Amino acid sequence: MAVVDDAEPQAIYRDDDGVLAVALAGSWSADRAPRLEELIAEMAARVAAVRQARLDLSAIGRLDTLGAYLLARLKEDGEAAGAGVELASRRPEHGVLLREVNLRATEYEPPARPTGLVTVLVNIGKAVTNFGRDLVGGAVFLGEVMIACVGALFGPRKFRGPSLINQIELIAFSGAPIIILISFLVGCIVAQQGIFQLQQFGAAVFVVNLTGILILRELAVLLTSIMVAGRSGSAFTAEIGSMKMREEIDALRVMGLEPIEVLVVPRILALMISLPILTFISAMSGLVGAGLVAWLYGGIGLDTFLARLKSVITWQHFAVGLIKAPFMAFVIGLIASIEGLAVKGSAESLGRQVTASVVKAIFMVIVVDGLFAMFFASIRF
């Protein structure tokens, strides 16, 4: 039988001493898939009615993976039904392709289901590995940022002044209203709860000490940092991640510009400048809210509140919050930039990294605040 590469696939049947002999011809390839399915279904019905079948592939002009897979499946189904099926061909390439198909079809084994303890240990191992990878990556990125800052210091022409001013406007000016509102409400709540509890001991006036020290040392900087991490940190990650998805960062490198100098350094510096300003605004708003509630709810006059606040609060309490702010801003900017540059090419990746940025930044802000609290307590500041 002549071999024709692009002929319509066909099967010729004959009975050879009780053995079903099938001569296959034509093109057994993916472009003939509907016809191949019909032939395979017909041959499967005939093979199921005999005890032995022999398929001759020698006249097949073109055999690809689909054709080989269908023939291998026919052989497997026939043998499962109790019939012996033989695939034969004088062309060695057919045998190679059939062996590959059989190998790939049988080499996969479902993984064993691990026990509960093994699963827990595996998850712990993955978490530790990911933490170590993030730690090393963060250290490397920190070094790159410091090098870029030193380069901007000794090469002012590289520094992006307009970008810095724009970021300060977006962080400090645009973020001030929500910071004022949240801090005012928290100051009101802390003062109300403090008065309610201290009244039981006849010491309601000490709410001034409570709110003044707590707001200036802890609440103002912590609330502001968390708000900035959720507002500006997520925006940084989304902006840098979107640029990464659209290959704009690669375009910057092609133009000879360093992305860290152009995108990261101005944002981190803007955060380090803006966060102390917002912390001061937050502290003042919280004290106003506390004073208002102390007057309306606790019967403590504003002049009494201010006089006691002046006698209790020292410059150290005021300085503690402002000292913490730049460090927390640096941590927020660093994490936001790392997560933004880690975005891959999908919207899912962008959403995942933005979420990770906010969660990690808030976690690290609380950790840094705890470290500073222990440090200032140890030096009695």
Side-chain angles (χ1 to χ4, degrees):
M1 182 181 293
V3 176
V4 182
D5 288 350
D6 58 351
E8 188 73 11
Q10 55 180 319
I12 301 173
Y13 304 93
R14 63 184 179 86
D15 186 3
D16 188 5
D17 294 332
V19 176
L20 175 64
V22 186
L24 305 180
S27 174
W28 285 64
S29 55
D31 56 337
R32 312 281 180 155
R35 175 58 178 162
L36 293 181
E37 289 287 354
E38 294 176 2
L39 288 176
I40 290 295
E42 181 183 346
M43 283 189 287
R46 290 176 176 260
V47 168
V50 298
R51 298 181 59 85
Q52 188 73 25
R54 184 175 185 276
L55 279 61
D56 187 1
L57 285 58
S58 302
I60 292 180
R62 182 183 176 194
L63 180 68
D64 64 4
T65 307
L66 175 64
Y69 170 74
L70 292 175
L71 293 171
R73 190 182 68 183
L74 174 65
K75 182 177 186 300
E76 182 178 350
D77 293 344
E79 291 176 346
V85 181
E86 178 187 359
L87 300 178
S89 176
R90 293 192 300 271
R91 302 176 63 176
E93 61 269 22
H94 290 170
V96 172
L97 186 55
L98 289 169
R99 283 193 300 272
E100 267 314 296
V101 170
N102 283 326
L103 175 65
R104 300 299 174 224
T106 58
E107 70 179 1
Y108 173 76
E109 294 182 2
R113 191 178 184 86
T115 61
L117 178 61
V118 173
T119 303
V120 171
L121 294 177
V122 168
N123 292 335
I124 293 174
K126 288 181 179 179
V128 172
T129 303
N130 293 334
F131 176 77
R133 188 182 298 114
D134 291 344
L135 194 63
V136 173
V140 172
F141 189 77
L142 174 61
E144 294 177 351
V145 170
M146 297 306 297
I147 292 173
C149 291
V150 172
L153 181 64
F154 289 98
R157 292 183 178 180
K158 295 182 179 180
F159 184 67
R160 306 282 166 173
S163 177
L164 174 65
I165 300 301
N166 179 60
Q167 292 298 329
I168 292 176
E169 179 184 2
L170 293 174
I171 299 169
F173 184 75
S174 301
I178 187 64
I179 296 294
I180 292 173
L181 177 61
I182 294 297
S183 301
F184 176 81
L185 294 176
V186 170
C188 293
I189 294 169
V190 171
Q192 188 271 337
Q193 288 296 311
I195 292 171
F196 179 76
Q197 297 297 327
L198 293 172
Q199 276 179 342
Q200 304 176 41
F201 308 99
V205 70
F206 286 101
V207 74
V208 181
N209 305 49
L210 172 67
T211 55
I213 295 175
L214 185 61
I215 289 174
L216 289 177
R217 292 184 70 99
E218 296 295 337
L219 281 183
V221 65
L222 197 58
L223 282 174
T224 304
S225 299
I226 291 174
M227 291 295 297
V228 168
R231 183 179 178 274
S232 301
S234 61
F236 290 174
T237 304
E239 291 167 3
I240 296 175
S242 298
M243 295 181 69
K244 182 80 178 295
M245 290 172 60
R246 295 196 296 263
E247 300 182 352
E248 294 178 20
I249 292 180
D250 295 333
L252 287 175
R253 292 193 176 97
V254 171
M255 291 187 293
L257 301 175
E258 181 57 43
I260 293 181
E261 293 179 357
V262 176
L263 301 175
V264 176
V265 172
R267 285 173 166 80
I268 291 180
L269 291 180
L271 275 174
M272 295 179 69
I273 295 171
S274 301
L275 197 56
I277 298 173
L278 291 175
T279 299
F280 174 79
I281 295 174
S282 173
M284 296 303 104
S285 301
L287 291 177
V288 169
L292 187 62
V293 169
W295 175 41
L296 298 176
Y297 185 79
I300 302 173
L302 294 179
D303 53 347
T304 305
F305 184 90
L306 292 174
R308 188 167 185 84
L309 188 66
K310 183 179 179 181
S311 64
V312 170
I313 300 302
T314 65
W315 68 271
Q316 294 173 325
H317 298 131
F318 182 75
V320 165
L322 297 182
I323 291 172
K324 295 177 184 178
F327 293 93
M328 293 184 175
F330 185 79
V331 169
I332 293 170
L334 199 68
I335 292 174
S337 302
I338 290 174
E339 296 299 328
L341 293 172
V343 171
K344 306 300 181 184
S346 65
E348 179 186 3
S349 173
L350 179 61
R352 185 168 55 248
Q353 299 306 135
V354 170
T355 303
S357 170
V358 175
V359 172
K360 290 180 181 178
I362 293 176
F363 172 77
M364 287 306 301
V365 159
I366 296 174
V367 169
V368 171
D369 183 74
L371 294 175
F372 268 110
M374 292 187 292
F375 172 72
F376 287 131
S378 65
I379 64 175
R380 300 183 183 280
F381 186 77

